[in-house]
Amino acid sequence: MERLIEGFKRFRSNYFEANRARFERLAGRPQHPRYAIVTCCDSRIDTTRVFDAIPGEVFLIRNIANLVPPYEPDQHHHSTSAAIEYAVRVLKVGQFVVMGHAGCVGIRALLAPPSEPTDFVTLWLQMATPARDWAMSKTDVSDEERQRSCELAALKLSLNNLLGFPWLNARIEDGSLQVDALYLDLERGEMLLYDRQNDTFAEV
Ligand SMILES: [Zn+2]
């Protein structure tokens, strides 16, 4: 814990002190983020830093492999869907983003499931099985290319699932919400934006 506590103290004496007025303003009123982003739990993906965002700007939803599950309003516990609903129906964000990334360990586990059984992880990743099957059907590709193909396919699948949430779609239709998919490659320092019309990814 020492490292974390020391880190907090540095944050308090540097960043917090330099932005004290902004934090007081933020804490004194309800949050009103403009963006909601579904991103991976991966510790290397520092989403707010990647977008140079400030506190209060991004409603961040993290899970393994940045997956959006299908719209399934049943009696089970749906962490990601609950956060999506809150962002769209309560906070009324104006821009929703699903962001995938290169070198995703979750996607790697989807492509090559570990022999050790898991209580939750394997079942969670199973929702991206169509992306896995598509990537596995490719011949003459390197492991790295297969991984990237699967990451991009899983991202498109998540975007499609997201568009299946009825109240989210209603807000797209009334023009108050935009939805996009991005793909971050930290090694190359690249961000790709998905073009739904043409089914292509292009560097921003
Ligand atoms: Zn990941």
Side-chain angles (χ1 to χ4, degrees):
M1 275 305 283
E2 287 82 6
R3 159 70 187 85
L4 295 179
I5 290 167
E6 286 307 311
F8 170 71
K9 288 178 177 172
R10 278 197 302 278
F11 160 81
R12 186 170 58 191
S13 53
N14 301 325
Y15 191 79
F16 178 78
E17 282 305 329
N19 296 279
R20 190 178 260 274
R22 181 192 292 165
F23 280 108
E24 280 172 7
R25 263 199 319 278
L26 281 174
R29 58 180 166 84
Q31 63 167 329
H32 188 54
R34 191 167 168 194
Y35 307 97
I37 305 179
V38 175
T39 187
C40 187
C41 292
D42 194 310
S43 59
R44 299 163 297 179
I45 309 299
D46 190 345
T47 307
T48 47
R49 185 172 298 201
V50 161
F51 293 109
D52 195 21
I54 57 173
E57 224 179 354
V58 177
F59 185 77
L60 203 52
I61 304 165
R62 301 188 79 153
N63 66 48
I64 293 182
N66 46 266
L67 297 174
V68 174
Y71 176 72
E72 287 172 334
D74 50 32
Q75 293 305 303
H76 298 287
H77 301 296
H78 293 286
S79 161
T80 295
S81 301
I84 291 168
E85 180 171 38
Y86 192 73
V88 172
R89 302 181 89 178
V90 179
L91 298 175
K92 299 194 186 306
V93 297
Q95 171 78 61
F96 209 107
V97 175
V98 186
M99 187 176 85
H101 73 103
C104 184
V105 179
I107 295 295
R108 196 168 297 148
L110 176 69
L111 286 167
S115 48
E116 288 287 303
T118 65
D119 287 340
F120 302 105
V121 176
T122 306
L123 184 64
W124 172 254
L125 292 171
Q126 259 176 23
M127 77 177 85
T129 298
R132 175 188 193 273
D133 292 347
W134 183 78
M136 292 305 279
S137 72
K138 290 182 147 238
T139 50
D140 296 331
V141 294
S142 66
D143 287 349
E144 198 183 326
E145 287 165 332
R146 193 184 307 284
Q147 164 95 15
R148 194 178 179 90
S149 295
C150 192
E151 285 159 354
L152 295 175
L155 182 56
K156 290 195 280 183
L157 180 141
S158 285
L159 184 64
N160 273 331
N161 283 346
L162 186 64
L163 296 172
F165 285 64
W167 22 260
L168 180 138
N169 242 310
R171 287 209 43 221
I172 294 174
E173 275 166 28
D174 73 20
S176 64
L177 177 67
Q178 191 172 330
V179 175
D180 287 289
L182 288 169
Y183 177 82
L184 173 68
D185 187 330
L186 268 186
E187 198 181 336
R188 299 181 194 175
E190 270 179 9
M191 184 76 85
L192 307 181
L193 173 64
Y194 180 55
D195 177 346
R196 240 188 302 162
Q197 232 71 37
N198 298 305
D199 192 21
T200 52
F201 285 88
E203 199 176 344
V204 298

